[in-house]
Amino acid sequence: MATMFLQCFITKNSNAQVLQELPYVKNHTQDRRPVAYQFVREADVMWSKIVWRRIELSERANQHLFFPTTPMDGRMSLIDVLLEGIHTQGLIVYGDNGNDEFAKILTVDEVHSNLGSEMQQVQVMKEDGSQVLMNQESGYTSSEILSYLIKELWYFDKQRSVMEVRIIGLCPVRVYQKDPNVPDYSNVQVFWAYYPDIRKLLSNAECFNPQNDAARLNFEDVFEKRLFSSYIYAESNMYDNRSINQYAQNHEILLESEKIKEQIFNFEQDLWEY
């Protein structure tokens, strides 16, 4: 009876050796393509609503978007996947300009600045022994990305009689303390990514599946299958698309968020006669 032994595939990375203790080569996620959207005609959309959601990574249901804090086992956190797309794949990202999340294209330096990186002057010694001042960029930490904002469109397609949602944009939010002695946190929208532009990037990035290591999810699965917890913080309205916290306070904010969510759910249910 033949016995299958566990193989170790060794790849050289500079001077270190990386051991992959698998009896097969993992290429399923790298070959994935985004699932094609269903074609929708304007005439078939009988109702639609734009809403903005916030995902808090401190919630247990969302921690698969935060970890790993450093790349491991072929996986990266969501922010590291997006930053790799910016640095190596030419992903174009945008800065929020009023109520238009995609009005201003951000440079890589502006993205780094929003992440907390600063230009500092350091002394560098030249070959002749003299010293000169040079500008050097300080590092940033992606672990300060503790929230994500999502802009999405809910609509009812009367041709297929379904309520569907399309994500329009995704925004990582940096949450940090300006002064360590003051318990006050600042929120910075690092950049807005147009979701259709990052679907391929997300579909090729593994995300941890707590049930099965051999059937890893990818980040597109997480968003398309709604495998995250969030709350609505704004909806399209006549008042310059103001957010809920501009007209509600404390627990009223959560109640208003649930009210908007229930209205979307009830619209579809009220169309049917049982």
Side-chain angles (χ1 to χ4, degrees):
M1 181 177 179
T3 304
M4 179 178 291
F5 292 94
L6 187 67
Q7 301 176 8
C8 280
F9 299 95
I10 304 177
T11 59
K12 291 187 177 181
N13 182 9
S14 65
N15 296 326
Q17 289 184 339
V18 181
L19 302 180
Q20 183 179 353
E21 298 181 354
L22 291 175
Y24 55 88
V25 178
K26 296 176 65 174
N27 55 20
H28 175 70
T29 303
Q30 288 79 357
D31 295 338
R32 285 280 297 272
R33 294 183 179 181
V35 178
Y37 283 143
Q38 184 75 29
F39 175 74
V40 181
R41 299 188 311 153
E42 180 183 5
D44 293 332
V45 178
M46 62 175 294
W47 177 91
S48 68
K49 170 70 71 174
I50 293 178
V51 299
W52 288 262
R53 293 180 178 272
R54 185 172 181 123
I55 299 174
E56 297 291 357
L57 300 189
S58 57
E59 294 187 29
R60 185 174 181 179
N62 298 326
Q63 291 187 352
H64 55 303
L65 302 177
F66 179 80
F67 292 103
T69 53
T70 56
M72 62 173 293
D73 193 24
R75 295 183 295 112
M76 293 188 293
S77 63
L78 177 57
I79 182 60
D80 287 336
V81 171
L82 295 174
L83 289 175
E84 183 181 26
I86 294 173
H87 294 149
T88 65
Q89 300 185 27
L91 174 64
I92 297 176
V93 293
Y94 305 86
D96 186 8
N97 184 15
N99 288 319
D100 189 350
E101 292 85 0
F102 310 104
K104 176 188 175 184
I105 295 178
L106 294 182
T107 65
V108 175
D109 290 339
E110 288 175 319
V111 171
H112 290 180
S113 177
N114 291 340
L115 284 167
S117 179
E118 298 178 349
M119 297 302 296
Q120 299 176 343
Q121 286 191 331
V122 295
Q123 286 189 341
V124 178
M125 183 174 293
K126 299 175 64 175
E127 294 181 356
D128 59 4
S130 61
Q131 292 185 344
V132 295
L133 289 176
M134 295 187 63
N135 291 327
Q136 186 177 30
E137 186 179 13
S138 64
Y140 58 84
T141 172
S142 58
S143 62
E144 290 183 338
I145 303 301
L146 299 179
S147 300
Y148 284 92
L149 306 181
I150 293 180
K151 182 180 183 180
E152 58 189 18
L153 171 70
W154 286 84
Y155 65 93
F156 187 84
D157 184 352
K158 68 178 183 180
Q159 177 68 25
R160 295 181 294 126
S161 298
V162 293
M163 175 76 81
E164 289 192 331
V165 58
R166 295 280 180 92
I167 298 177
I168 302 173
L170 181 67
C171 172
V173 179
R174 178 181 172 227
V175 183
Y176 68 102
Q177 278 183 285
K178 288 185 177 181
D179 186 347
N181 298 320
V182 179
D184 185 24
Y185 288 86
S186 298
N187 289 256
V188 174
Q189 296 185 17
V190 180
F191 58 81
W192 276 92
Y194 184 53
Y195 187 75
D197 289 346
I198 63 174
R199 291 188 68 209
K200 183 66 168 65
L201 180 68
L202 298 181
S203 65
N204 295 146
E206 280 192 357
C207 182
F208 187 74
N209 181 355
Q211 307 300 327
N212 187 355
D213 284 348
R216 288 277 171 83
L217 301 169
N218 59 51
F219 284 109
E220 194 200 19
D221 291 331
V222 173
F223 289 107
E224 296 297 334
K225 297 178 181 179
R226 315 294 289 181
L227 303 178
F228 58 86
S229 173
S230 65
Y231 62 89
I232 296 174
Y233 71 89
E235 65 170 337
S236 54
N237 57 73
M238 73 175 76
Y239 307 106
D240 297 329
N241 288 343
R242 65 180 182 181
S243 58
I244 295 175
N245 62 9
Q246 292 181 271
Y247 62 90
Q249 296 180 349
N250 303 325
H251 69 283
E252 295 177 351
I253 296 176
L254 184 58
L255 293 176
E256 183 68 14
S257 175
E258 289 298 316
K259 178 182 176 182
I260 297 171
K261 178 181 176 181
E262 187 176 357
Q263 287 174 344
I264 295 174
F265 175 80
N266 287 339
F267 177 85
E268 180 185 15
Q269 299 301 312
D270 292 343
L271 293 174
W272 307 106
E273 182 176 347
Y274 299 95

